Amino acid sequence: MMAVHATPGPSMHESHRPWQLVAKSFDSYPFIAPGNAWIMDEAEKEPARRNFIEQIIEEHNQSGRFDGRVHTRFPPEPNGYLHIGHAKAFCLDFGLAEKYGGKCNLRFDDTNPCKEDTEYVDYIQEGIHWLGFDWEDRMFFASDYFEQLYEWAEKLIADGKAYVCDLNAEQMREYRGTLTEPGKASPYRDRSPAENMDLFRRMKAGEFADGARTLRAKIDMASPNVNMRDPVMYRILRAHHHRTGDTSCTYPTSDSTSGQSDSIERITHSVCTLEFENHRPLYDWYIQQLGIFAPQQIEFARLNLTYTVMSKRKLLQLVSDKLVSGWDDPRMPTLCGLRRRGYTPESIRNFCDTIGVAQFNSTIDLQDVENSLRDDLNLRAQRVMAVLRPLKVVITNYPEGQTEELDAANNPADESAGSRRVPFSQTLYIEQDDFMEDPPKKFFRLGPGREVRLRYAYYITCTDVIKDEDGKIVELRCTYDPESRGGSTPDGRKVKATLHWVSAAHALDAEVRLYDHLFDRENPDMVDEGRVWTDNLNPRSLERLAGCKLEPSLANAVPGDRFQFERLGYFCVDLDSTPKAPIFNRTVTLRDTWGKVQKKR
Ligand code: ATP
Ligand code: MG
């Protein structure tokens, strides 16, 4: 069952809930979290597998509002890397188009030249493609529409619907009022259309200093919706734009661009997150005044995950303050970070699908993303043996210099994955914590005088423990039972543990990086007094182990390859790995162990 922590969000807009929810019990639909508004078919009492957005689309298709057309878009701002929250959004945008035989555009919302860059434009495309979606020939930029937007701004000026205002930013804030008090009209509000037109053209020609004047929509300073209190449409900004260069010193605001851009592209369903609900009346206002095609905006709740942050500003700070190694640090919730960590695109898409869409903000357990990944890797990851913290074992009755090859299954869950040969010899490595000199009752692994099974190999019994001068255990001496080859004996004797191992002479040396949650608080934004959010970073989020021993079949692994290291988790070859210096990232443990670790601390 998905864990969802609900927090009340903005109320739903009336027009978005014309249906009835007939869900009887969530228990019969184990993957449906409360607030995940699957629409149930009254007649069948079965989930019709339609979320509230699909319901709206189907109503439009029935009423013929968009002539049966479904055309969505994903509108990222090229000012950062995509994260799993964005994936939630674009899986929905592209997914809806796919489901209804429609189209989905990629449109960069590049209206803020100060923070934007072509580097981001490239990585955003890569991220969407990685998850398997494609915009075909429909990649656009809001800046493609700057001329059209400028013409429309002049039309609004001519119609007396927009004016040039000389208030500076601070004054404008004062005049705007608050949530409880209406705003005051700007002293420049009643300028004539002719004067406004002249000033606006001179703004564009570069006659005025940055911030000296703005163009504002003339709507309603008393509106209960602050967005409708004469919002700024254009500001003067001498900044280099990543596409239009230095050709312009006036830029439209994102709010006076989004709705019109959707309209230009004839987007039918403009799906966005809840914080835009209060912007919808403004977008609709522009469209009405201009008399242009009217898309339907539909809002859903952002994805939030425990133990991580999703704000681009914070992610940027982690990178620029070098608190992580980069945007693709395997601990980051960015798509490139998840990819480097070893996440499969399928597991992310599956996760986004499974959580559904909600109309109130909630936080999903990071564990749910990890479980989706485990499910996927369990099916596809080849099993291998690797020892992370090696302890040497010498088998005294095994012929010195002899090597034999044992048969090991590549994936016990999938016979078609076949098997491979693993070398066995007199000297092996096992995991340090698979041995205890003085084992407590519940420890069933190796100890003095005990017998265990070596996976795919033999039964061994520990006869001696060798220590160094400091009393540290450095080697075990064991005997093996030649009759137990393959893991069972003719007398059917049972052992309580099966250990993984690697033959010392054949082992590959590697570095292995273990990751834990980036933050040690479920909600990293909850900051104790006198501290800052970065104090919530988990100091144990990265552990680098050198001198790990891997079975030789891993010699041919290349960056991106994924494996299950038996008993240890899923691992993938890091981007920086080379055949001479292999590096593996632990993608995820076999089971969730966070709860246990927390208790121990
Ligand atoms: P900002 O606008 O503050 O730079 P942003 O995260 O909203 O940050 P955008 O590039 O504007 O970034 O986002 C593109 C689209 O992705 C938007 O439609 C936005 O609603 C959606 N989106 C962003 N974050 C999430 C999230 N956590 N969950 C779901 N959708 C998201
Ligand atoms: Mg945004």
Side-chain angles (χ1 to χ4, degrees), residues 387-401:
V387 173
L388 300 189
R389 296 173 179 89
L391 172 60
K392 196 165 153 188
V393 172
V394 177
I395 303 183
T396 48
N397 60 340
Y398 193 85
E400 199 182 331

Side-chain angles (χ1 to χ4, degrees), residues 191-215:
R191 277 176 167 155
S192 69
E195 189 186 358
N196 283 322
M197 195 68 85
D198 172 59
L199 285 171
F200 185 51
R201 288 180 179 167
R202 286 163 62 195
M203 270 169 69
K204 196 183 178 214
E207 279 191 35
F208 311 120
D210 282 14
R213 293 193 153 99
T214 55
L215 181 73

Side-chain angles (χ1 to χ4, degrees), residues 6-50:
T7 48
S11 67
M12 289 181 286
H13 189 270
E14 270 310 313
S15 69
H16 285 174
R17 38 176 176 176
W19 58 87
Q20 256 209 309
L21 248 185
V22 211
K24 272 195 308 194
S25 143
F26 285 115
D27 292 341
S28 38
Y29 309 105
F31 294 112
I32 304 175
N36 217 1
W38 289 115
I39 307 302
M40 317 290 274
D41 213 302
E42 177 75 89
E44 298 163 32
K45 294 275 188 285
E46 278 291 321
R49 310 299 287 176
R50 266 178 280 141

Side-chain angles (χ1 to χ4, degrees), residues 75-77 79 86 109 254 273 275-276 302 312:
E77 197 183 324
N79 64 352
H86 293 114
D109 174 19
S254 180
T273 36
E275 70 274 20
F276 293 102
R302 292 179 94 81
K312 276 197 258 186

Side-chain angles (χ1 to χ4, degrees), residues 226-430:
V226 181
N227 294 315
M228 300 297 274
R229 295 183 190 168
D230 293 10
V232 171
M233 293 177 63
Y234 275 83
R235 63 250 202 253
I236 307 175
L237 199 64
R238 285 175 176 78
H240 181 84
H241 188 280
H242 71 110
R243 292 190 79 237
T244 59
D246 300 302
T247 54
S248 182
C249 63
T250 49
Y251 290 97
T253 56
S254 180
D255 262 356
S256 68
T257 305
S258 303
Q260 288 97 311
S261 302
D262 283 344
S263 177
I264 291 170
E265 293 174 18
R266 300 185 67 78
I267 299 303
T268 56
H269 300 88
S270 171
V271 179
C272 62
T273 36
L274 284 179
E275 70 274 20
F276 293 102
E277 190 176 28
N278 292 331
H279 297 238
R280 173 154 38 91
L282 176 58
Y283 300 165
D284 288 347
W285 184 87
Y286 285 124
I287 282 173
Q288 245 170 20
Q289 301 307 316
L290 297 168
I292 54 180
F293 175 80
Q296 173 70 58
Q297 177 173 306
I298 306 168
E299 304 89 9
F300 70 99
R302 292 179 94 81
L303 168 68
N304 299 301
L305 284 178
T306 55
Y307 299 107
T308 192
V309 291
M310 216 91 88
S311 138
K312 276 197 258 186
R313 184 180 58 77
K314 288 185 174 166
L315 294 175
L316 179 63
Q317 191 183 330
L318 290 175
V319 174
S320 45
D321 291 358
K322 302 209 166 14
L323 297 167
V324 293
S325 65
W327 286 99
D328 69 348
D329 186 302
R331 292 166 293 178
M332 292 280 271
T334 49
L335 295 185
C336 50
L338 295 169
R339 185 176 185 175
R340 185 164 185 173
R341 173 83 168 251
Y343 271 76
T344 60
E346 291 81 1
S347 68
I348 297 174
R349 279 183 70 158
N350 194 40
F351 166 74
C352 291
D353 261 9
T354 312
I355 55 173
V357 282
Q359 290 170 292
F360 56 85
N361 285 313
S362 64
T363 301
I364 307 277
D365 269 338
L366 189 58
Q367 200 186 314
D368 293 338
V369 193
E370 294 183 345
N371 281 336
S372 167
L373 179 65
R374 287 186 182 103
D375 288 347
D376 191 37
L377 290 176
N378 182 39
L379 299 176
R380 63 171 78 218
Q382 181 184 325
R383 274 61 170 168
V384 291
M385 291 197 285
V387 173
L388 300 189
R389 296 173 179 89
L391 172 60
K392 196 165 153 188
V393 172
V394 177
I395 303 183
T396 48
N397 60 340
Y398 193 85
E400 199 182 331
Q402 177 175 312
T403 299
E404 64 185 300
E405 303 236 302
L406 300 162
D407 214 33
N410 287 335
N411 187 347
D414 172 12
E415 226 171 85
S416 70
S419 65
R420 65 191 187 286
R421 312 285 280 170
V422 185
F424 184 88
S425 64
Q426 191 187 31
T427 307
L428 315 167
Y429 292 110
I430 63 165

